[in-house]
């Protein structure tokens, strides 16, 4: 495949999976690792790897794996220990449409609670929120399906307990 065909094929693939790319980058972004920087790293990783994509898994599974691994690698480069921030310092998420304040408030709370999770927990909950099956999540993360189920259960409990505080 020549470079022009490769670029067109790659661009189309990114268009098909822009929601995955955006959501993973959004939840791993921080002050130390801005959204635009992490998205650029992810796009570079996808571009470098797409030529070698062997279609052994679905394209979306492959995109998730690349996005999450790139984000985790970028976090490791920043420091050996992921940094946490206090709940008070989390950015507020605001939505343009004022038609449903209750839904907006719930989403803002959910986003702030997810932001407090460690990187691996974020990856699991994001894929679950995107309605991937436990099997697909297990494949993306390289862990057994039962481990996915138990970790997701603990994450949901953690989020629920913080929500009531």
């Amino acid at each position: 495949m020549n470079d022009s065909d490769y670029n067109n094929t790659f661009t189309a693939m990114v268009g098909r999976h822009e929601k995955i790319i955006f959501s993973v980058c959004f939840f791993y972004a921080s002050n130390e690792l801005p959204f635009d920087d992490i998205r650029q790293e992810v796009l570079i990783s996808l571009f470098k790897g797409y030529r070698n994509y062997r279609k052994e898994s679905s394209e979306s599974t492959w995109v998730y794996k690349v996005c999450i691994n790139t984000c985790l690698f970028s976090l490791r480069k920043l420091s050996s220990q992921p940094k946490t921030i206090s709940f008070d310092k989390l950015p507020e998420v605001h939505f343009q449409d004022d038609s449903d304040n209750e839904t907006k408030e719930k989403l803002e709370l959910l986003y702030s609670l997810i932001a407090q999770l460690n990187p691996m927990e974020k990856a699991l909950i994001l894929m679950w929120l995107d309605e991937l099956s436990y099997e697909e999540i297990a494949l993306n993360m390289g862990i057994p399906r039962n481990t996915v189920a138990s970790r997701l259960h603990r994450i949901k409990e953690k989020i629920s307990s913080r929500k009531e505080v």
Side-chain angles (χ1 to χ4, degrees):
M1 178 182 310
N2 68 37
D3 286 344
S4 178
D5 290 342
Y6 180 72
N7 290 344
N8 291 337
T9 304
F10 173 77
T11 302
M13 182 276 298
V14 168
R16 286 189 300 275
H17 302 292
E18 65 185 327
K19 181 179 178 259
I20 293 170
I21 296 166
F22 179 88
S23 63
V24 172
C25 293
F26 176 80
F27 281 106
Y28 280 97
S30 66
N31 287 338
E32 295 84 19
L33 194 61
F35 173 80
D36 288 335
D37 292 352
I38 200 163
R39 184 180 58 187
Q40 175 111 9
E41 289 294 323
V42 164
L43 290 172
I44 290 169
S45 294
L46 288 168
F47 184 77
K48 287 179 178 177
Y50 192 58
R51 195 177 299 272
N52 299 319
Y53 168 55
R54 295 184 304 259
K55 299 182 175 147
E56 293 172 357
S57 60
S58 73
E59 192 175 71
S60 63
T61 295
W62 180 81
V63 169
Y64 259 115
K65 270 186 149 175
V66 172
C67 289
I68 289 168
N69 287 334
T70 302
C71 291
L72 292 174
F73 179 75
S74 296
L75 284 173
R76 273 187 233 118
K77 282 194 310 189
L78 282 177
S79 83
S80 59
Q81 288 279 340
K83 296 177 184 167
T84 59
I85 59 174
S86 82
F87 184 73
D88 299 335
K89 292 184 180 180
L90 290 172
E92 291 186 33
V93 178
H94 296 284
F95 297 90
Q96 304 261 335
D97 184 4
D98 291 335
S99 62
D100 188 358
N101 284 333
E102 185 178 337
T103 301
K104 287 191 303 190
E105 288 173 10
K106 287 179 182 178
L107 281 173
E108 288 172 1
L109 176 60
L110 177 63
Y111 281 9
S112 14
L113 294 171
I114 290 172
Q116 296 176 63
L117 298 173
N118 72 44
M120 201 57 77
E121 291 171 332
K122 281 182 188 178
L124 289 168
I125 202 73
L126 285 173
M127 287 185 270
W128 180 77
L129 287 171
D130 277 344
E131 299 180 354
L132 270 66
S133 70
Y134 284 9
E135 288 79 14
E136 291 171 308
I137 296 170
L139 182 63
N140 285 344
M141 300 300 293
I143 57 177
R145 183 220 176 272
N146 290 342
T147 303
V148 169
S150 63
R151 286 185 184 174
L152 279 171
H153 179 73
R154 285 195 299 266
I155 293 166
K156 290 178 209 173
E157 283 181 341
K158 184 189 284 189
I159 289 174
S160 292
S161 68
R162 288 182 182 170
K163 188 171 66 174
E164 296 163 2
V165 172

